[in-house]
Short mmCIF file of all heavy atoms in Angstrom, two decimals:
data_model
loop_
_atom_site.label_atom_id
_atom_site.label_comp_id
_atom_site.label_asym_id
_atom_site.label_seq_id
_atom_site.Cartn_x
_atom_site.Cartn_y
_atom_site.Cartn_z
N MET H 13 73.43 35.16 198.35
CA MET H 13 74.36 34.14 197.92
C MET H 13 75.29 33.80 199.08
O MET H 13 75.79 34.69 199.75
CB MET H 13 75.15 34.65 196.71
CG MET H 13 76.17 33.65 196.23
SD MET H 13 76.98 34.14 194.72
CE MET H 13 75.69 33.84 193.55
N PRO H 14 75.51 32.54 199.34
CA PRO H 14 76.29 32.13 200.50
C PRO H 14 77.79 32.47 200.45
O PRO H 14 78.44 32.49 201.47
CB PRO H 14 76.11 30.62 200.56
CG PRO H 14 75.00 30.29 199.65
CD PRO H 14 74.86 31.41 198.71
N ILE H 15 78.34 32.71 199.26
CA ILE H 15 79.76 33.07 199.16
C ILE H 15 79.86 34.58 199.03
O ILE H 15 79.28 35.18 198.13
CB ILE H 15 80.44 32.40 197.95
CG1 ILE H 15 80.33 30.89 198.02
CG2 ILE H 15 81.90 32.85 197.85
CD1 ILE H 15 81.07 30.25 199.18
N VAL H 16 80.58 35.20 199.95
CA VAL H 16 80.77 36.65 199.96
C VAL H 16 82.21 36.95 199.59
O VAL H 16 83.14 36.30 200.10
CB VAL H 16 80.45 37.22 201.36
CG1 VAL H 16 80.71 38.71 201.41
CG2 VAL H 16 79.01 36.92 201.73
N ILE H 17 82.40 37.91 198.72
CA ILE H 17 83.75 38.32 198.32
C ILE H 17 84.11 39.58 199.11
O ILE H 17 83.48 40.62 198.94
CB ILE H 17 83.83 38.58 196.80
CG1 ILE H 17 83.43 37.32 196.05
CG2 ILE H 17 85.24 39.03 196.41
CD1 ILE H 17 83.34 37.47 194.56
N ASN H 18 85.11 39.45 199.97
CA ASN H 18 85.53 40.56 200.83
C ASN H 18 86.66 41.37 200.19
O ASN H 18 87.64 41.73 200.85
CB ASN H 18 85.97 40.03 202.19
CG ASN H 18 84.81 39.43 202.95
OD1 ASN H 18 83.74 40.01 203.02
ND2 ASN H 18 85.01 38.26 203.50
N LEU H 19 86.52 41.67 198.92
CA LEU H 19 87.56 42.37 198.19
C LEU H 19 87.75 43.79 198.70
O LEU H 19 88.88 44.26 198.85
CB LEU H 19 87.21 42.38 196.70
CG LEU H 19 88.25 42.85 195.73
CD1 LEU H 19 89.55 42.09 195.89
CD2 LEU H 19 87.74 42.72 194.30
N ASP H 20 86.67 44.47 199.02
CA ASP H 20 86.76 45.85 199.50
C ASP H 20 87.53 45.94 200.83
O ASP H 20 88.30 46.87 201.05
CB ASP H 20 85.39 46.50 199.63
CG ASP H 20 84.40 45.69 200.45
OD1 ASP H 20 84.66 44.49 200.70
OD2 ASP H 20 83.36 46.26 200.83
N VAL H 21 87.37 44.93 201.68
CA VAL H 21 88.07 44.91 202.96
C VAL H 21 89.58 44.79 202.74
O VAL H 21 90.37 45.53 203.31
CB VAL H 21 87.57 43.74 203.84
CG1 VAL H 21 88.40 43.60 205.09
CG2 VAL H 21 86.10 43.92 204.19
N MET H 22 89.96 43.85 201.86
CA MET H 22 91.39 43.64 201.60
C MET H 22 91.99 44.84 200.87
O MET H 22 93.14 45.22 201.13
CB MET H 22 91.59 42.36 200.80
CG MET H 22 93.02 41.91 200.72
SD MET H 22 93.87 41.73 202.32
CE MET H 22 93.02 40.36 203.01
N MET H 23 91.22 45.46 199.99
CA MET H 23 91.71 46.66 199.29
C MET H 23 91.97 47.78 200.29
O MET H 23 92.97 48.48 200.19
CB MET H 23 90.70 47.11 198.23
CG MET H 23 90.66 46.22 197.02
SD MET H 23 89.31 46.64 195.89
CE MET H 23 89.70 48.32 195.48
N ALA H 24 91.09 47.94 201.26
CA ALA H 24 91.27 48.97 202.28
C ALA H 24 92.50 48.67 203.14
O ALA H 24 93.28 49.58 203.44
CB ALA H 24 90.03 49.08 203.15
N LYS H 25 92.68 47.40 203.50
CA LYS H 25 93.85 47.02 204.31
C LYS H 25 95.14 47.30 203.57
O LYS H 25 96.14 47.68 204.18
CB LYS H 25 93.79 45.54 204.68
CG LYS H 25 92.79 45.21 205.75
CD LYS H 25 92.84 43.73 206.09
CE LYS H 25 91.84 43.38 207.17
NZ LYS H 25 91.86 41.94 207.49
N ARG H 26 95.15 47.07 202.25
CA ARG H 26 96.35 47.26 201.45
C ARG H 26 96.46 48.67 200.87
O ARG H 26 97.43 49.00 200.20
CB ARG H 26 96.39 46.25 200.29
CG ARG H 26 96.40 44.80 200.74
CD ARG H 26 97.66 44.44 201.50
NE ARG H 26 97.74 43.00 201.73
CZ ARG H 26 97.57 42.43 202.90
NH1 ARG H 26 97.28 43.15 203.98
NH2 ARG H 26 97.67 41.13 203.04
N LYS H 27 95.45 49.49 201.12
CA LYS H 27 95.42 50.88 200.65
C LYS H 27 95.66 50.96 199.14
O LYS H 27 96.55 51.67 198.66
CB LYS H 27 96.43 51.73 201.40
CG LYS H 27 96.13 51.85 202.88
CD LYS H 27 97.11 52.75 203.59
CE LYS H 27 96.67 53.01 204.98
NZ LYS H 27 97.23 52.19 206.00
N ILE H 28 94.85 50.22 198.39
CA ILE H 28 94.96 50.19 196.94
C ILE H 28 93.62 50.56 196.32
O ILE H 28 92.56 50.15 196.81
CB ILE H 28 95.44 48.79 196.46
CG1 ILE H 28 95.72 48.81 194.96
CG2 ILE H 28 94.47 47.71 196.82
CD1 ILE H 28 96.44 47.57 194.45
N SER H 29 93.66 51.37 195.28
CA SER H 29 92.43 51.81 194.62
C SER H 29 91.94 50.73 193.66
O SER H 29 92.70 49.85 193.24
CB SER H 29 92.68 53.10 193.84
OG SER H 29 93.51 52.84 192.72
N ALA H 30 90.68 50.83 193.30
CA ALA H 30 90.09 49.88 192.37
C ALA H 30 90.78 49.95 191.01
O ALA H 30 91.06 48.93 190.39
CB ALA H 30 88.59 50.14 192.23
N GLY H 31 91.07 51.14 190.55
CA GLY H 31 91.74 51.31 189.26
C GLY H 31 93.11 50.68 189.24
O GLY H 31 93.48 49.99 188.28
N GLU H 32 93.88 50.89 190.30
CA GLU H 32 95.21 50.32 190.38
C GLU H 32 95.15 48.80 190.46
O GLU H 32 95.92 48.10 189.80
CB GLU H 32 95.96 50.88 191.58
CG GLU H 32 97.40 50.40 191.68
CD GLU H 32 98.15 50.96 192.87
OE1 GLU H 32 97.66 51.92 193.52
OE2 GLU H 32 99.23 50.43 193.17
N LEU H 33 94.22 48.28 191.26
CA LEU H 33 94.10 46.83 191.40
C LEU H 33 93.67 46.20 190.08
O LEU H 33 94.23 45.18 189.67
CB LEU H 33 93.11 46.46 192.51
CG LEU H 33 92.94 44.97 192.78
CD1 LEU H 33 94.28 44.33 193.18
CD2 LEU H 33 91.91 44.74 193.86
N ALA H 34 92.71 46.80 189.40
CA ALA H 34 92.26 46.27 188.11
C ALA H 34 93.43 46.21 187.13
O ALA H 34 93.59 45.22 186.40
CB ALA H 34 91.14 47.15 187.55
N GLU H 35 94.26 47.23 187.12
CA GLU H 35 95.42 47.26 186.23
C GLU H 35 96.42 46.15 186.60
O GLU H 35 96.91 45.44 185.73
CB GLU H 35 96.10 48.63 186.31
CG GLU H 35 97.19 48.82 185.28
CD GLU H 35 97.74 50.23 185.30
OE1 GLU H 35 96.95 51.18 185.40
OE2 GLU H 35 98.97 50.36 185.20
N ARG H 36 96.69 46.00 187.88
CA ARG H 36 97.64 44.96 188.34
C ARG H 36 97.14 43.56 188.02
O ARG H 36 97.92 42.67 187.68
CB ARG H 36 97.87 45.05 189.84
CG ARG H 36 98.74 46.19 190.26
CD ARG H 36 99.05 46.06 191.74
NE ARG H 36 99.67 47.25 192.27
CZ ARG H 36 100.05 47.38 193.53
NH1 ARG H 36 99.87 46.39 194.39
NH2 ARG H 36 100.60 48.50 193.95
N VAL H 37 95.83 43.35 188.15
CA VAL H 37 95.24 42.03 187.95
C VAL H 37 95.01 41.74 186.46
O VAL H 37 95.02 40.58 186.05
CB VAL H 37 93.92 41.91 188.76
CG1 VAL H 37 93.18 40.63 188.44
CG2 VAL H 37 94.22 41.98 190.25
N GLY H 38 94.82 42.79 185.69
CA GLY H 38 94.58 42.60 184.26
C GLY H 38 93.13 42.39 183.91
O GLY H 38 92.80 41.66 182.98
N ILE H 39 92.23 43.00 184.70
CA ILE H 39 90.80 42.95 184.39
C ILE H 39 90.28 44.38 184.29
O ILE H 39 90.94 45.32 184.72
CB ILE H 39 89.99 42.15 185.44
CG1 ILE H 39 90.08 42.79 186.83
CG2 ILE H 39 90.44 40.70 185.48
CD1 ILE H 39 89.20 42.11 187.87
N THR H 40 89.11 44.53 183.72
CA THR H 40 88.54 45.87 183.57
C THR H 40 88.04 46.37 184.92
O THR H 40 87.65 45.57 185.79
CB THR H 40 87.37 45.87 182.57
OG1 THR H 40 86.30 45.09 183.12
CG2 THR H 40 87.79 45.34 181.21
N PRO H 41 88.04 47.68 185.10
CA PRO H 41 87.46 48.23 186.34
C PRO H 41 86.00 47.80 186.53
O PRO H 41 85.57 47.57 187.66
CB PRO H 41 87.58 49.74 186.15
CG PRO H 41 88.75 49.91 185.23
CD PRO H 41 88.67 48.73 184.29
N ALA H 42 85.26 47.64 185.44
CA ALA H 42 83.87 47.20 185.54
C ALA H 42 83.78 45.79 186.11
O ALA H 42 82.94 45.51 186.97
CB ALA H 42 83.19 47.27 184.17
N ASN H 43 84.64 44.89 185.64
CA ASN H 43 84.63 43.52 186.17
C ASN H 43 85.09 43.48 187.61
O ASN H 43 84.58 42.69 188.41
CB ASN H 43 85.49 42.60 185.30
CG ASN H 43 84.78 42.20 184.03
OD1 ASN H 43 83.56 42.24 183.94
ND2 ASN H 43 85.54 41.83 183.02
N LEU H 44 86.05 44.32 187.97
CA LEU H 44 86.48 44.39 189.37
C LEU H 44 85.32 44.87 190.24
O LEU H 44 85.10 44.35 191.34
CB LEU H 44 87.69 45.31 189.52
CG LEU H 44 88.25 45.38 190.94
CD1 LEU H 44 88.87 44.04 191.34
CD2 LEU H 44 89.28 46.48 191.07
N SER H 45 84.57 45.83 189.75
CA SER H 45 83.42 46.33 190.48
C SER H 45 82.37 45.24 190.71
O SER H 45 81.78 45.14 191.78
CB SER H 45 82.79 47.51 189.73
OG SER H 45 81.65 47.99 190.39
N ILE H 46 82.16 44.41 189.71
CA ILE H 46 81.22 43.29 189.83
C ILE H 46 81.67 42.35 190.95
O ILE H 46 80.86 41.92 191.78
CB ILE H 46 81.07 42.54 188.49
CG1 ILE H 46 80.30 43.41 187.50
CG2 ILE H 46 80.40 41.19 188.67
CD1 ILE H 46 80.34 42.91 186.08
N LEU H 47 82.96 42.06 190.99
CA LEU H 47 83.49 41.22 192.07
C LEU H 47 83.34 41.90 193.42
O LEU H 47 82.90 41.29 194.39
CB LEU H 47 84.97 40.91 191.82
CG LEU H 47 85.31 39.91 190.73
CD1 LEU H 47 86.80 39.91 190.47
CD2 LEU H 47 84.83 38.53 191.13
N LYS H 48 83.74 43.16 193.47
CA LYS H 48 83.75 43.91 194.72
C LYS H 48 82.36 44.05 195.33
O LYS H 48 82.19 44.05 196.54
CB LYS H 48 84.35 45.29 194.45
CG LYS H 48 84.85 46.01 195.67
CD LYS H 48 85.55 47.28 195.27
CE LYS H 48 84.70 48.39 195.68
NZ LYS H 48 84.97 49.69 195.58
N ASN H 49 81.34 44.14 194.48
CA ASN H 49 79.98 44.34 194.94
C ASN H 49 79.17 43.05 195.05
O ASN H 49 77.95 43.08 195.15
CB ASN H 49 79.26 45.34 194.03
CG ASN H 49 79.88 46.71 194.12
OD1 ASN H 49 80.13 47.21 195.22
ND2 ASN H 49 80.16 47.32 192.99
N ASN H 50 79.89 41.91 195.05
CA ASN H 50 79.26 40.59 195.21
C ASN H 50 78.18 40.31 194.16
O ASN H 50 77.17 39.68 194.46
CB ASN H 50 78.70 40.41 196.62
CG ASN H 50 79.78 40.22 197.64
OD1 ASN H 50 80.55 39.27 197.55
ND2 ASN H 50 79.87 41.12 198.60
N LYS H 51 78.40 40.78 192.94
CA LYS H 51 77.46 40.53 191.85
C LYS H 51 77.94 39.40 190.94
O LYS H 51 77.21 38.96 190.07
CB LYS H 51 77.27 41.80 191.01
CG LYS H 51 76.76 42.99 191.78
CD LYS H 51 75.34 42.82 192.21
CE LYS H 51 74.85 44.08 192.90
NZ LYS H 51 73.63 43.89 193.61
N ALA H 52 79.17 38.92 191.15
CA ALA H 52 79.74 37.87 190.30
C ALA H 52 79.09 36.52 190.59
O ALA H 52 78.82 36.19 191.73
CB ALA H 52 81.25 37.79 190.51
N LYS H 53 78.87 35.76 189.54
CA LYS H 53 78.34 34.40 189.67
C LYS H 53 79.48 33.38 189.70
O LYS H 53 79.29 32.26 190.13
CB LYS H 53 77.41 34.08 188.51
CG LYS H 53 76.20 35.00 188.44
CD LYS H 53 75.28 34.76 189.59
CE LYS H 53 74.07 35.68 189.49
NZ LYS H 53 73.34 35.75 190.72
N ALA H 54 80.66 33.78 189.22
CA ALA H 54 81.82 32.88 189.17
C ALA H 54 83.10 33.72 189.15
O ALA H 54 83.07 34.90 188.78
CB ALA H 54 81.77 32.01 187.93
N VAL H 55 84.19 33.10 189.57
CA VAL H 55 85.50 33.74 189.54
C VAL H 55 86.49 32.73 188.95
O VAL H 55 86.56 31.59 189.43
CB VAL H 55 85.98 34.16 190.95
CG1 VAL H 55 87.34 34.82 190.89
CG2 VAL H 55 84.96 35.07 191.62
N ARG H 56 87.21 33.13 187.95
CA ARG H 56 88.24 32.25 187.38
C ARG H 56 89.37 32.10 188.38
O ARG H 56 89.72 33.06 189.08
CB ARG H 56 88.81 32.84 186.09
CG ARG H 56 87.84 32.90 184.95
CD ARG H 56 88.52 33.58 183.76
NE ARG H 56 87.58 33.82 182.71
CZ ARG H 56 87.53 33.10 181.59
NH1 ARG H 56 88.40 32.14 181.39
NH2 ARG H 56 86.63 33.37 180.68
N PHE H 57 89.94 30.91 188.42
CA PHE H 57 91.08 30.69 189.32
C PHE H 57 92.24 31.60 188.95
O PHE H 57 92.97 32.07 189.82
CB PHE H 57 91.53 29.23 189.31
CG PHE H 57 90.68 28.33 190.17
CD1 PHE H 57 90.21 27.14 189.68
CD2 PHE H 57 90.36 28.68 191.48
CE1 PHE H 57 89.43 26.30 190.47
CE2 PHE H 57 89.59 27.86 192.27
CZ PHE H 57 89.13 26.66 191.77
N SER H 58 92.42 31.88 187.67
CA SER H 58 93.51 32.77 187.25
C SER H 58 93.29 34.19 187.79
O SER H 58 94.24 34.86 188.19
CB SER H 58 93.66 32.79 185.73
OG SER H 58 92.45 33.21 185.11
N THR H 59 92.03 34.63 187.84
CA THR H 59 91.72 35.94 188.40
C THR H 59 91.93 35.94 189.91
O THR H 59 92.50 36.88 190.47
CB THR H 59 90.27 36.35 188.06
OG1 THR H 59 90.11 36.35 186.64
CG2 THR H 59 89.93 37.71 188.62
N LEU H 60 91.48 34.87 190.56
CA LEU H 60 91.67 34.75 192.01
C LEU H 60 93.15 34.74 192.35
O LEU H 60 93.59 35.41 193.29
CB LEU H 60 90.98 33.49 192.53
CG LEU H 60 91.00 33.26 194.02
CD1 LEU H 60 90.35 34.40 194.78
CD2 LEU H 60 90.30 31.94 194.35
N GLU H 61 93.94 34.02 191.56
CA GLU H 61 95.38 33.97 191.78
C GLU H 61 96.00 35.36 191.61
O GLU H 61 96.81 35.79 192.44
CB GLU H 61 96.02 33.00 190.79
CG GLU H 61 97.53 32.93 190.90
CD GLU H 61 98.17 32.04 189.85
OE1 GLU H 61 97.45 31.48 188.99
OE2 GLU H 61 99.40 31.93 189.89
N ALA H 62 95.59 36.08 190.57
CA ALA H 62 96.12 37.42 190.33
C ALA H 62 95.73 38.39 191.44
O ALA H 62 96.53 39.24 191.86
CB ALA H 62 95.65 37.94 188.96
N LEU H 63 94.51 38.27 191.94
CA LEU H 63 94.07 39.11 193.06
C LEU H 63 94.90 38.83 194.31
O LEU H 63 95.35 39.75 194.99
CB LEU H 63 92.58 38.87 193.37
CG LEU H 63 91.58 39.48 192.40
CD1 LEU H 63 90.19 38.90 192.65
CD2 LEU H 63 91.56 40.99 192.52
N CYS H 64 95.11 37.55 194.60
CA CYS H 64 95.91 37.17 195.78
C CYS H 64 97.34 37.67 195.64
O CYS H 64 97.93 38.16 196.61
CB CYS H 64 95.89 35.66 195.98
SG CYS H 64 94.30 35.04 196.55
N LYS H 65 97.90 37.59 194.45
CA LYS H 65 99.26 38.06 194.23
C LYS H 65 99.34 39.57 194.40
O LYS H 65 100.21 40.09 195.09
CB LYS H 65 99.72 37.67 192.83
CG LYS H 65 101.16 38.02 192.53
CD LYS H 65 101.58 37.52 191.16
CE LYS H 65 103.03 37.88 190.91
NZ LYS H 65 103.49 37.39 189.60
N ALA H 66 98.40 40.29 193.80
CA ALA H 66 98.40 41.76 193.86
C ALA H 66 98.15 42.27 195.28
O ALA H 66 98.69 43.31 195.67
CB ALA H 66 97.34 42.33 192.91
N LEU H 67 97.34 41.54 196.05
CA LEU H 67 96.98 41.97 197.40
C LEU H 67 97.81 41.28 198.48
O LEU H 67 97.61 41.54 199.67
CB LEU H 67 95.49 41.73 197.65
CG LEU H 67 94.54 42.57 196.80
CD1 LEU H 67 93.12 42.07 196.92
CD2 LEU H 67 94.64 44.04 197.18
N ASP H 68 98.70 40.38 198.07
CA ASP H 68 99.54 39.63 199.00
C ASP H 68 98.67 38.97 200.09
O ASP H 68 98.81 39.25 201.28
CB ASP H 68 100.61 40.52 199.63
CG ASP H 68 101.62 39.73 200.45
OD1 ASP H 68 101.86 38.55 200.13
OD2 ASP H 68 102.15 40.29 201.43
N CYS H 69 97.74 38.12 199.63
CA CYS H 69 96.83 37.47 200.56
C CYS H 69 96.52 36.06 200.09
O CYS H 69 96.98 35.64 199.03
CB CYS H 69 95.54 38.28 200.70
SG CYS H 69 94.53 38.34 199.19
N GLN H 70 95.73 35.35 200.85
CA GLN H 70 95.27 34.01 200.53
C GLN H 70 93.82 34.07 200.03
O GLN H 70 93.09 35.01 200.36
CB GLN H 70 95.33 33.12 201.78
CG GLN H 70 96.74 32.87 202.29
CD GLN H 70 97.54 32.04 201.30
OE1 GLN H 70 97.07 31.03 200.80
NE2 GLN H 70 98.75 32.51 201.01
N PRO H 71 93.38 33.08 199.25
CA PRO H 71 91.99 33.07 198.80
C PRO H 71 90.98 33.20 199.94
O PRO H 71 89.96 33.87 199.80
CB PRO H 71 91.85 31.72 198.09
CG PRO H 71 93.22 31.42 197.60
CD PRO H 71 94.14 31.96 198.67
N ALA H 72 91.30 32.61 201.08
CA ALA H 72 90.38 32.69 202.24
C ALA H 72 90.26 34.11 202.78
O ALA H 72 89.28 34.42 203.46
CB ALA H 72 90.85 31.75 203.34
N ASP H 73 91.22 34.97 202.46
CA ASP H 73 91.10 36.37 202.87
C ASP H 73 90.07 37.10 202.02
O ASP H 73 89.53 38.13 202.44
CB ASP H 73 92.45 37.09 202.73
CG ASP H 73 93.52 36.52 203.66
OD1 ASP H 73 93.16 36.13 204.79
OD2 ASP H 73 94.69 36.48 203.25
N LEU H 74 89.80 36.58 200.84
CA LEU H 74 88.87 37.22 199.91
C LEU H 74 87.49 36.58 199.88
O LEU H 74 86.50 37.25 199.63
CB LEU H 74 89.45 37.19 198.48
CG LEU H 74 90.76 37.92 198.28
CD1 LEU H 74 91.27 37.71 196.86
CD2 LEU H 74 90.62 39.40 198.57
N LEU H 75 87.44 35.27 200.12
CA LEU H 75 86.18 34.53 200.02
C LEU H 75 85.71 34.07 201.39
O LEU H 75 86.49 33.57 202.19
CB LEU H 75 86.36 33.31 199.12
CG LEU H 75 86.85 33.59 197.70
CD1 LEU H 75 87.13 32.28 196.98
CD2 LEU H 75 85.86 34.43 196.94
N GLU H 76 84.42 34.22 201.63
CA GLU H 76 83.83 33.82 202.91
C GLU H 76 82.51 33.12 202.65
O GLU H 76 81.70 33.57 201.84
CB GLU H 76 83.60 35.06 203.77
CG GLU H 76 82.97 34.79 205.10
CD GLU H 76 82.70 36.07 205.90
OE1 GLU H 76 82.95 37.18 205.39
OE2 GLU H 76 82.23 35.93 207.04
N TYR H 77 82.29 32.02 203.34
CA TYR H 77 81.02 31.30 203.25
C TYR H 77 80.10 31.79 204.36
O TYR H 77 80.45 31.72 205.54
CB TYR H 77 81.25 29.79 203.38
CG TYR H 77 79.95 29.02 203.46
CD1 TYR H 77 79.12 28.90 202.36
CD2 TYR H 77 79.56 28.41 204.64
CE1 TYR H 77 77.93 28.21 202.43
CE2 TYR H 77 78.36 27.71 204.73
CZ TYR H 77 77.56 27.61 203.61
OH TYR H 77 76.37 26.93 203.69
N VAL H 78 78.95 32.29 203.98
CA VAL H 78 77.93 32.74 204.94
C VAL H 78 76.63 32.03 204.59
O VAL H 78 76.03 32.33 203.56
CB VAL H 78 77.74 34.28 204.87
CG1 VAL H 78 76.69 34.73 205.86
CG2 VAL H 78 79.05 35.01 205.11
N PRO H 79 76.22 31.07 205.42
CA PRO H 79 74.98 30.35 205.12
C PRO H 79 73.80 31.31 204.97
O PRO H 79 73.74 32.34 205.62
CB PRO H 79 74.78 29.44 206.34
CG PRO H 79 76.14 29.33 206.96
CD PRO H 79 76.82 30.63 206.67
N GLU H 80 72.88 30.95 204.10
CA GLU H 80 71.73 31.81 203.82
C GLU H 80 70.85 32.02 205.04
O GLU H 80 70.24 33.05 205.19
CB GLU H 80 70.93 31.26 202.67
CG GLU H 80 71.74 31.23 201.39
CD GLU H 80 70.94 31.59 200.18
OE1 GLU H 80 69.82 32.09 200.32
OE2 GLU H 80 71.46 31.38 199.10
N ASP H 81 70.81 31.03 205.95
CA ASP H 81 69.98 31.19 207.13
C ASP H 81 70.70 31.96 208.25
O ASP H 81 70.13 32.20 209.30
CB ASP H 81 69.50 29.84 207.64
CG ASP H 81 70.63 28.93 208.13
OD1 ASP H 81 71.80 29.34 208.09
OD2 ASP H 81 70.32 27.80 208.54
N GLY H 82 71.96 32.34 207.99
CA GLY H 82 72.71 33.15 208.95
C GLY H 82 73.48 32.38 209.99
O GLY H 82 74.20 32.95 210.77
N THR H 83 73.33 31.04 210.04
CA THR H 83 74.08 30.24 211.00
C THR H 83 75.39 29.78 210.38
O THR H 83 75.50 29.65 209.18
CB THR H 83 73.29 29.01 211.46
OG1 THR H 83 73.05 28.16 210.34
CG2 THR H 83 72.00 29.40 212.11
N GLN H 84 76.36 29.51 211.25
CA GLN H 84 77.65 29.00 210.74
C GLN H 84 78.04 27.76 211.43
O GLN H 84 77.74 27.39 212.44
CB GLN H 84 78.76 30.04 210.91
CG GLN H 84 78.63 31.13 209.91
CD GLN H 84 79.85 32.07 209.94
OE1 GLN H 84 80.61 32.12 210.90
NE2 GLN H 84 80.01 32.80 208.89
#
């Protein structure tokens, strides 16, 4: 999938656990895991907003476009 979610990178930078982040954002740890492992097919803007607020970052810090052929 061309959109990669770099949630694990930002979590490491902010030194926050998955359980704590899920609680702050208001989603289940299972749903956070789906996002973190790039298994999500969609992300609600409200969830993206909550993630950015909890991690003190911008959406571009979490989302990255990577063309399927590997070129940018």
